[in-house]
Amino acid sequence: MSDQTQEQGTSGPRRVVVAGAGMAGVQTAVALREQGFTGTVTLIGAEPHQPYDRPPLSKAVLLGKAEGSAFDIDFEALGLELRLGCEALAVRPDAHVLETSAGPVPYDVLVLATGAEPIRLPGAEGVPGVHLLRTLDDAERLRPVLTGQHDIVVVGAGWIGAEFATAAREAGCAVTVVEAADRPLAGALPAEVAEPMTAWYADSGAELRTHARVERVEPGVVVLDDGARLPAGAVVVGIGARPATGWLAGSGIELGRHGDVLADDHLRTSVPDVYAVGDCASFPSGRYGERLLIHHWDNALQGPRTVAADIVGLTPVVYDPVPYFWSEQFGRFVQYAGHHASADTVVWRGDRTGPAWTVCWLREGRLVALLAVGRPRDLAQGRRLIESGTPMDPRLLADPAKPLKAATA
C-alpha cells in the first residue's frame, strides 16, 4: 500500500474499486471484508448477470444440469456495491479515476481483475454457428446446439476444447476436433505426457485431427488447409485466451509481452494504488525463478487474499503459490500442480495407457510439478511436497503402489 493511500485512509472512508466481477474480483471484495476493511468496496462487472463461477459453464450449465453458477455470496450483507453491465474503459491514475461505460468512478485503491478473453478464429467473425465458450451467455447459446445433436467441429485441442468435446459427446453429438499442432495440449504439456491423451478422443467417439489448420469457415462447413470440408452444424473455437487488458492502453500501467499486467510479488502494478489479480496479471515466482501468467481458477481464488492483506496494511506476504488446476474430460479427472518448465527428471507412476497414472517432474531431486490422472491422492500429497521442497527418491516415486508422501529421500 502506498503512502498516498495510507494518508487518504486516515482522513476518511477509503474507496476500493474492483474492475472485474469474476472469481478474482469477487474474492478480492470478500477478502477485504474478511480482513477488516470498512471502507467502500465497489465491484464493476461488464456482464449484466450476477457474478458467477466459470468452471460449471463447460459442464453442468452447458448440459442443462444447472441453470447458472452464481456465487453464493450475500453482497448486500457484506456492504459490497455491485455495478453490473458496466464496462471498464480506461484508468486515469493521476486523478485516481476509473472511466467506465456508466461514467467516471473515483477510487483510492483500484484492483484490476478483468480476467482473460478468448482468442477469436481469424475470418470467422460474423459467420453463423461459430461460438466461443467463456461466458454464461455463450453457454446458454450452445445448450440448444447440444440438445439438437448437431455435427460439431471444435477448433483447438486444449483444455477447453477437450472439456467441450466431452460434453458434446455426452449429449450425443458427432464431434470432430481440429488441432494445428501434432497433439492435444501442445502448448501445455510435453509430447510424451500428452501422447496418452490422444487415445481418449477415439475412445469417447470423437475424431481428433492433428496437423490440421482451418483455412476458412463457411455456414455449415469448416474448410481445412488440405481442402477437407467438415460438416458443422456448429463450430466451437477454443484456441486460447489472453489477458483482457487492451483497455489499459495509455494508462501508464506496465504490460508484458502477452498483454499481462506486470504485477510484483504482492500483486501491485507499476502505478501507485493499483493492484492486479487473476488471469489478467503475471507475477514473479521465487519458487520457480520466472514470471508466471496463470489462467486458472485457483490462482483467481488465492491471489485476492494477498491483495486484500496489502490494502488493509497487514504484514505483507509474498504471493508465490504452487499453481493448481483440474479438468474433467472423457471420463477422466485430470489434475496438475506446480510448474514443470525447469525440471531435469521425469518419473512415471502407473501405466499411462490405463485409467489412472501420474507423471512427476523433479528438479535437483525435488518435486516441482505433477500431473495426476484419476489419482487425486497423488495430487494432494504432491502439492504439499512441492510446497515443502522435500527431497524425493525417484526409485520409490516410480512405484504407484507406494504413497507419494512415502517416496521421500
Side-chain angles (χ1 to χ4, degrees):
M1 184 171 64
S2 72
D3 292 339
Q4 178 182 14
T5 299
Q6 288 176 326
E7 290 167 5
Q8 290 168 337
T10 60
S11 62
R14 285 180 294 148
R15 303 159 295 182
V16 175
V17 174
V18 182
M23 170 62 81
V26 167
Q27 290 300 324
T28 297
V30 171
L32 281 166
R33 290 296 187 236
E34 289 177 343
Q35 298 185 32
F37 182 78
T38 58
T40 300
V41 180
T42 303
L43 269 169
I44 307 290
E47 294 183 57
H49 309 290
Q50 280 290 112
Y52 61 88
D53 204 5
R54 294 190 188 278
L57 298 184
S58 61
K59 307 171 185 73
V61 175
L62 190 61
L63 290 169
K65 297 176 180 179
E67 288 303 312
S69 56
F71 293 115
D72 185 18
I73 294 171
D74 190 334
F75 293 95
E76 185 176 355
L78 289 172
L80 304 175
E81 180 189 3
L82 287 179
R83 297 191 189 181
L84 304 177
C86 180
E87 186 178 0
L89 300 177
V91 180
R92 292 194 286 123
D94 291 346
H96 275 64
V97 168
L98 173 70
E99 297 289 355
T100 77
S101 57
V105 180
Y107 67 83
D108 294 324
V109 175
L110 175 65
V111 181
L112 307 176
T114 46
E117 56 192 2
I119 297 172
R120 297 178 182 274
L121 185 65
E125 294 88 345
V127 178
V130 177
H131 299 263
L132 299 168
L133 181 53
R134 181 71 182 176
T135 68
L136 181 59
D137 289 340
D138 292 337
E140 290 179 346
R141 280 190 289 266
L142 276 163
R143 190 186 297 178
V145 172
L146 299 193
T147 303
Q149 297 188 336
H150 292 272
D151 290 344
I152 295 177
V153 173
V154 179
V155 183
W159 300 112
I160 192 66
E163 290 187 0
F164 179 81
T166 298
R169 286 299 301 140
E170 186 176 332
C173 300
V175 178
T176 302
V177 180
V178 175
E179 171 55 53
D182 61 349
R183 62 187 188 275
L185 295 167
L189 296 173
E192 63 176 324
V193 179
E195 189 274 330
M197 300 176 174
T198 303
W200 298 357
Y201 288 79
D203 291 346
S204 75
E207 180 184 0
L208 173 63
R209 291 194 176 209
T210 56
H211 299 286
R213 294 185 177 274
V214 175
E215 182 175 290
R216 66 183 183 277
V217 180
E218 302 171 355
V221 177
V222 173
V223 182
L224 303 183
D225 61 356
D226 63 359
R229 297 174 64 86
L230 307 178
V235 179
V236 177
V237 179
I239 54 176
R242 57 185 159 221
T245 56
W247 64 283
L248 294 173
S251 67
I253 296 170
E254 190 176 357
L255 303 181
R257 61 190 180 93
H258 300 292
D260 47 309
V261 178
L262 296 177
D264 68 8
D265 57 8
H266 290 85
L267 300 179
R268 297 172 294 211
T269 74
S270 60
V271 168
D273 304 324
V274 180
Y275 295 77
V277 65
D279 291 4
C280 71
S282 63
F283 58 90
S285 170
R287 187 190 310 276
Y288 292 106
E290 63 181 283
R291 179 168 286 274
L292 299 182
L293 174 60
I294 302 172
H295 286 179
H296 293 298
W297 186 91
D298 193 65
N299 179 50
L301 177 67
Q302 292 196 62
R305 298 167 191 154
T306 295
V307 171
D310 208 67
I311 290 173
V312 303
L314 297 179
T315 303
V317 176
V318 168
Y319 187 62
D320 195 8
V322 173
Y324 167 73
F325 70 89
W326 77 96
S327 176
E328 296 177 65
Q329 50 184 267
F330 309 119
R332 294 165 173 85
F333 187 44
V334 183
Q335 296 172 281
Y336 178 97
H339 182 63
H340 64 265
S342 63
D344 54 36
T345 304
V346 178
V347 178
W348 290 82
R349 289 166 59 81
D351 179 4
R352 70 191 77 179
T353 65
W357 46 271
T358 297
V359 58
C360 301
W361 287 272
L362 306 177
R363 183 182 66 221
E364 297 178 354
R366 288 173 168 80
L367 194 65
V368 294
L370 80 160
L371 181 137
V373 177
R375 293 180 65 98
R377 185 173 296 178
D378 275 6
L379 189 287
Q381 295 179 8
R383 194 175 183 183
R384 289 192 290 269
L385 290 165
I386 295 171
E387 289 173 344
S388 65
T390 304
M392 306 298 295
D393 182 330
R395 181 181 57 82
L396 298 176
L397 195 61
D399 182 356
K402 185 176 293 294
L404 206 141
K405 64 182 180 181
T408 56

